[in-house]
Amino acid sequence: MNNLKFCCPCHFGLESVLKYEINKIGGTNLSVSDGKISFYGDLNILARANLCLSTAERVLIELAEFNAFSFEELYQGVKNIPFEDFIGEKNAFPVKGYSLNSTLHSVPDCQSIVKKACVDRLKSKYNTSWFDESEPPVQIQFSILKDKVNIYLDTSGVGLHKRGYRKNSNLAPIKETLAAGIIDLARVRPDTVVCDPFCGSGTILIESALKAMNIAPGINRRFAAEKWASIPQNIWSEERRRAIANVNKDAEFHAIGSDIDDSAVALTIDNAKKAGVKSRISVEQADIRNFRQPENSVVICNPPYGERMLEIRQAEEIYKLMGKTIGKPAFIISPSEEFEKFFARKADKRRKLYNGMIKCQLFMYFK
């Protein structure tokens, strides 16, 4: 298992950021496509990727890629995969996946075929006719796109955006992985001062602190593959020690947050405490009208969007106020095509991103 192929999905628009992260942790032979990056590494890289990648949605082991135009071709392609390298005789091995623009369009039927092929493979390897699947699960995933089949094992379990610090959030939180990508694009460094005048549950402030101090985002959580007998426990303990040793405690980073909602302020403080970065973050209840960007600081924020007409009009009024109070550099994510008009400044650069299913733009002001 010294040369495994991995696949990490990510938000569309963050591929270049994730590529840099994967190179940094030692992944090799990277291949970039829309919304995902494939690369190679050993078991240490598997654990390191789960612990350290801040913009990946999960870490998948890619077991096979082949074309299938019939259920028989799907069955034979899956049966040839050495599942026994990872799935023990008593492991559960659930199957999920999707099919798009393919001859095999029925997902439930494909799911059944993949499961049957895996069962038949493992029956022959373990000389048994029954699997009770009583031990920790090894999740099998399949994707079929334009008749090309990819078979994966999910090593992460719960998505990597679940860092463990945000048990509670406000009504419109930004996903941790998206926030981390924007923070990378803003080039937050160990001595950066980050401001967020719409801090909500504190995600941008906390992710900035983790990035500046080189704290592995997954250090306080567990992963599905930690329970697999096929991966030695010392791999995980070794990589956790490595991650802890790499923390930059001397970073001069500080974050300043505010929100008009005092409950959001309390939530940010609580989440920062859970993340272990409370001492690096100052938060207060304040209106954007009163915001003044501190000298030598960067604003990174996710202002209110508004979905209904009245809320959209209110959001546009907020954008006008932001234009009067926010200077440079600033990195602002918004779905509004007219954001620049209300902000009264054209962005130096824009990047298309998705916040969940919402198509957005990252408006970047730095000149």
Side-chain angles (χ1 to χ4, degrees), residues 50-337:
N50 275 293
L51 284 161
C52 299
L53 295 180
S54 66
T55 56
E57 294 301 312
R58 54 186 66 248
V59 180
L60 307 172
I61 298 172
E62 186 171 329
L63 295 177
E65 180 178 294
F66 57 90
N67 290 323
F69 302 92
S70 68
F71 287 128
E72 179 62 21
E73 288 178 322
L74 178 62
Y75 173 85
Q76 292 298 337
V78 174
K79 193 179 178 184
N80 286 331
I81 298 170
F83 289 106
E84 63 277 5
D85 289 349
F86 295 96
I87 302 174
E89 188 173 348
K90 294 186 177 181
N91 284 119
F93 47 102
V95 176
K96 65 179 180 181
Y98 66 87
S99 178
L100 294 172
N101 303 320
S102 299
T103 306
L104 303 177
H105 55 80
S106 170
V107 172
D109 287 342
C110 292
Q111 193 172 4
S112 296
I113 294 296
V114 171
K115 181 74 174 187
K116 176 174 170 51
C118 183
V119 167
D120 289 349
R121 168 82 186 200
L122 294 176
K123 276 183 178 179
S124 66
K125 294 298 175 180
Y126 293 125
N127 297 312
T128 185
S129 60
W130 174 258
F131 297 98
D132 62 15
E133 300 194 46
S134 59
E135 292 188 354
V138 180
Q139 177 72 61
I140 300 171
Q141 291 191 14
F142 67 87
S143 71
I144 308 177
L145 180 61
K146 296 181 180 179
D147 301 310
K148 185 177 75 174
V149 181
N150 290 88
I151 305 294
Y152 307 100
L153 298 182
D154 178 11
T155 72
S156 301
V158 176
L160 293 182
H161 70 283
K162 296 284 190 181
R163 319 290 207 209
Y165 64 76
R166 201 173 74 176
K167 303 294 184 185
N168 301 303
S169 62
N170 60 339
L171 291 176
I174 187 170
K175 206 171 180 182
E176 293 89 334
T177 43
L178 177 57
I182 294 171
I183 288 157
D184 261 342
L185 292 170
R187 302 194 176 185
V188 169
R189 298 291 185 261
D191 60 351
T192 302
V193 176
V194 170
C195 298
D196 181 0
F198 303 96
C199 65
S201 53
T203 306
I204 288 174
L205 302 175
I206 293 167
E207 291 294 322
S208 294
L210 297 179
K211 185 72 66 174
M213 299 176 68
N214 202 33
I215 299 173
I219 197 71
N220 292 321
R221 57 159 287 179
R222 296 290 170 175
F223 308 96
E226 288 190 72
K227 296 180 179 179
W228 299 358
S230 56
I231 302 178
Q233 280 300 305
N234 68 290
I235 296 284
W236 294 97
S237 55
E238 179 183 331
E239 288 302 324
R240 285 183 188 278
R241 285 194 299 270
R242 179 183 181 277
I244 291 169
N246 285 337
V247 173
N248 181 3
K249 296 178 182 178
D250 296 325
E252 297 177 1
F253 170 86
H254 192 74
I256 302 168
S258 58
D259 200 288
I260 196 169
D261 185 354
D262 55 2
S263 64
V265 172
L267 192 55
T268 293
I269 293 170
D270 187 53
N271 288 339
K273 188 184 300 182
K274 290 189 179 82
V277 294
K278 181 176 176 292
S279 64
R280 302 300 183 122
I281 296 175
S282 303
V283 196
E284 65 175 1
Q285 189 273 332
D287 192 303
I288 185 62
R289 300 171 194 272
N290 302 317
F291 177 76
R292 295 295 179 270
Q293 185 168 345
E295 191 175 350
N296 299 320
S297 69
V298 57
V299 166
I300 307 173
C301 65
N302 174 38
Y305 295 173
E307 295 180 5
R308 292 177 287 275
M309 188 58 67
L310 178 61
E311 293 172 340
I312 291 171
R313 294 288 174 263
Q314 291 171 338
E316 289 168 353
E317 289 302 313
I318 290 172
Y319 300 157
K320 290 179 184 178
L321 292 170
M322 290 169 62
K324 296 174 182 177
T325 60
I326 292 176
K328 295 182 180 181
F331 295 76
I332 304 163
I333 184 170
S334 172
S336 173
E337 291 293 334

